[in-house]
Amino acid sequence: MPERRIPPDAQAAPVSQGVSPQPGADVPPSPRPAGEHTTTSAPRAVPGLWSNLRPLLLRLHFYAGTLVGPFILVAAVTGLAYTVTPQIESALYAHELKVTPRGAAEPLAHQVVAAQRAVPDGTLLSVTKGAGPTDSTRVTFEKDGLPEGYTLTAFVDPYNGRVLGQLRTFGQWLPARAWLDDLHRNLHLGHFGRNYSEIAASWLWVEVLAGLALWAGTARNRRRLRRLLLPRGGTRSRKRTLSWHGAVGLWASVGLLALSATGLTWSAHAGASIGRVQDALGGSTPSVSTALPAREGAGGGTEDVKRDIGIDAVVASARHAGLVGVLVVTPPPHDEDSAYVVAENTRSWPERQDSVAVDPATGKVTQKLEFDDFPLLAKLTSWGVDAHMGLLFGLANQIALALLAIAVIAMTLWAFRMWWLRRPTRAEGFAVGRAPARGAWRRVPGRVLAPVVLLAAVIGYYVPFFGLPLLLFVLVDVAVGALRRRRAEVRG
């Protein structure tokens, strides 16, 4: 239904995703819904640029929260489920993951042979040697018939070479985590579904920054900082809900901005733009070279090419080069003359992601790449992604992510509750909550509006799922305004 008509000299009390004017706001409030507490104190105008910019932020925050809020809510719910995946994996796959130490372990080559017998039609991709005596050995194969990006992993008891089981894996994720990861990333809708999570990541930071500005702007007329930092108690009302929405958003803002930034790094469209920028700045993630040096006396023959000292000697060379913890060994393809790659896979703090290339003929390390030598941008990307997945700080990381997800869920529900409370009274018929007053952009000085529009255009180009919804908001807003003017002319 159309919004209530507003006199030219007044504005409807704006709210967006839970932000509404407090005493001291720049516009007088419109009549509140029936049953809501009102105050007789007259608000004081906030002079300067803020009084002109605030209505625009308010309208942006409202429309983004109303239209993009459901995407952010779904991402928060699926992300909350993802935070418990390490515990789920430990419970579901204890038989495949853990063994009982007993004597000396079998050679790694024997374990690989046992896995190859269990998966005769698979192509060997990698071997993961556990860090502790209770860890099984993972042997991963490429196999026909699996979904894109998935592999088949055989789990081998290192003490007797017995295959404990086979599981379909996505990278290093086991089935349960892979399923929840797919749910969080694309709702099991494939490439099309990834658009939902990219929309959420592209707008989460906008909602957070706009909400921070609006919430901090109310501090101009607050006598106590406590009201800004802590939610108020008392009876249930829209003002109390707003207080909880703003205070929780303030405390969660840093974490939410980090989630938005890291989520964008591996998104389909914005991630590609970020990758190009990162490459241009020299911050791409390096990788060890598998090229082999020319061997003396090889004479162009094939004898040296076919020679392979074996995976156990390769691991020994990597250990001698300083690699520790969980090691992932990637053998060279059979039809290529290239080196083994052995990489550390410790994603908790402090991270260990050193890697070496080992000549299969001699066992010599041809190149070593240390994580300490990564460009700063590559390190920040790695730390951010691992923190986003709950890996960097272990259980504390999981708890922090769970709290952030709960905060987003609560703030979104509070926002829609406040929107519902702003609906017109029953005497005016059923309608949803009112939107902030139109025409906010006309109050912003041109010297401010022009760079804002230019900045939005640049961000929209590199982050298309920010730019396209923003353009859609503008077109819908213009169309709604034209329709209302037409209806007013017909009625008048």
Side-chain angles (χ1 to χ4, degrees), residues 95-99 136 155-158 160 162-166:
H95 174 72
E96 289 83 2
L97 295 175
K98 295 300 179 181
V99 297
S136 62
F155 296 81
V156 183
D157 187 332
N160 58 16
R162 184 172 64 90
V163 175
L164 302 172
Q166 303 175 30

Side-chain angles (χ1 to χ4, degrees), residues 212-231:
L212 282 177
L214 292 166
W215 186 242
T218 64
R220 295 170 178 263
N221 297 291
R222 291 178 183 266
R223 294 183 179 180
R224 293 182 299 176
L225 186 61
R226 179 181 179 278
R227 291 189 178 183
L228 194 67
L229 300 176
L230 300 176

Side-chain angles (χ1 to χ4, degrees), residues 16-17 19 50 57-58 61 204-218 228 245-246 249-250 253:
S16 81
Q17 195 76 353
V19 180
W50 175 246
L57 283 177
L58 201 55
H61 192 59
L204 179 58
W205 65 274
V206 180
E207 281 289 81
V208 171
L209 292 180
L212 282 177
L214 292 166
W215 186 242
T218 64
L228 194 67
H245 179 89
L250 178 63
S253 59

Side-chain angles (χ1 to χ4, degrees), residues 91-459:
L92 291 180
Y93 311 116
H95 174 72
E96 289 83 2
L97 295 175
K98 295 300 179 181
V99 297
T100 301
R102 49 192 184 280
E106 293 280 333
L108 196 57
H110 293 179
Q111 300 177 48
V112 173
V113 170
Q116 289 175 321
R117 289 174 180 169
V119 190
D121 54 344
T123 301
L124 180 63
L125 291 180
S126 65
V127 180
T128 302
K129 180 176 175 57
T134 62
D135 295 325
S136 62
T137 300
R138 303 188 187 191
V139 184
T140 302
F141 298 91
E142 182 181 37
K143 187 177 178 182
D144 294 336
L146 295 176
E148 181 182 0
Y150 280 81
T151 54
L152 185 67
T153 298
F155 296 81
V156 183
D157 187 332
Y159 297 99
N160 58 16
R162 184 172 64 90
V163 175
L164 302 172
Q166 303 175 30
L167 294 174
R168 192 175 70 174
T169 50
F170 183 79
Q172 60 182 321
W173 304 145
L174 303 183
R177 186 183 296 214
W179 190 90
L180 287 171
D181 176 77
D182 215 30
L183 178 68
H184 179 61
R185 190 158 41 97
N186 58 31
L187 301 179
H188 294 283
L189 297 176
H191 293 293
F192 174 77
R194 292 188 67 179
N195 295 335
Y196 114 84
S197 58
E198 186 162 355
I199 291 174
S202 299
W203 278 90
L204 179 58
W205 65 274
V206 180
E207 281 289 81
V208 171
L209 292 180
L212 282 177
L214 292 166
W215 186 242
T218 64
R220 295 170 178 263
N221 297 291
R222 291 178 183 266
R223 294 183 179 180
R224 293 182 299 176
L225 186 61
R226 179 181 179 278
R227 291 189 178 183
L228 194 67
L229 300 176
L230 300 176
R232 67 172 65 193
T235 59
R236 293 184 178 180
S237 65
R238 185 174 171 280
K239 185 177 293 186
R240 178 190 175 191
T241 305
L242 170 61
S243 176
W244 277 91
H245 179 89
V248 171
L250 178 63
W251 285 104
S253 59
V254 174
L256 296 181
L257 290 174
L259 286 179
S260 178
T262 53
L264 286 173
T265 57
W266 69 71
S267 61
H269 301 91
S273 298
I274 293 173
R276 288 192 295 268
V277 173
Q278 191 170 348
D279 292 343
L281 296 176
S284 58
T285 301
S287 60
V288 67
S289 173
T290 60
L292 294 175
R295 302 190 184 100
E296 295 183 4
T302 60
E303 180 179 355
D304 288 334
V305 173
K306 295 180 179 179
R307 182 184 175 191
D308 192 325
I309 63 173
I311 191 171
D312 291 278
V314 169
V315 170
S317 296
R319 295 289 190 195
H320 183 72
L323 271 62
V324 297
V326 179
L327 297 185
V328 180
V329 184
T330 303
H334 291 293
D335 56 347
E336 293 185 13
D337 183 19
S338 57
Y340 279 86
V341 174
V342 185
E344 296 174 330
N345 191 29
T346 301
R347 310 299 289 273
S348 57
W349 188 265
E351 288 199 351
R352 295 197 62 91
Q353 297 188 47
D354 296 355
S355 58
V356 295
V358 180
D359 190 330
T362 63
K364 293 181 179 179
V365 173
T366 60
Q367 186 182 21
K368 182 177 181 180
L369 176 64
E370 297 185 352
F371 183 70
D372 290 342
D373 296 331
F374 279 27
L376 178 59
L377 284 177
K379 290 182 179 178
L380 292 175
T381 300
S382 179
W383 291 330
V385 169
D386 289 341
H388 190 119
M389 294 190 296
L391 302 174
L392 192 59
F393 300 110
L395 182 60
N397 200 159
Q398 293 177 251
I399 294 174
L401 289 176
L403 291 176
L404 286 174
I406 293 171
V408 171
I409 294 170
M411 286 190 294
T412 305
L413 297 179
W414 286 329
F416 280 103
R417 170 175 168 76
M418 287 186 289
W419 184 38
W420 176 252
L421 291 175
R422 285 180 54 81
R423 70 191 187 281
T425 60
R426 292 182 180 179
E428 302 172 72
F430 175 79
V432 295
R434 294 186 301 272
R438 298 176 54 81
W441 65 272
R442 287 192 289 267
R443 303 185 57 183
V444 182
R447 67 181 183 278
V448 177
L449 185 61
V452 168
V453 172
L454 179 61
L455 178 62
V458 172
I459 296 176

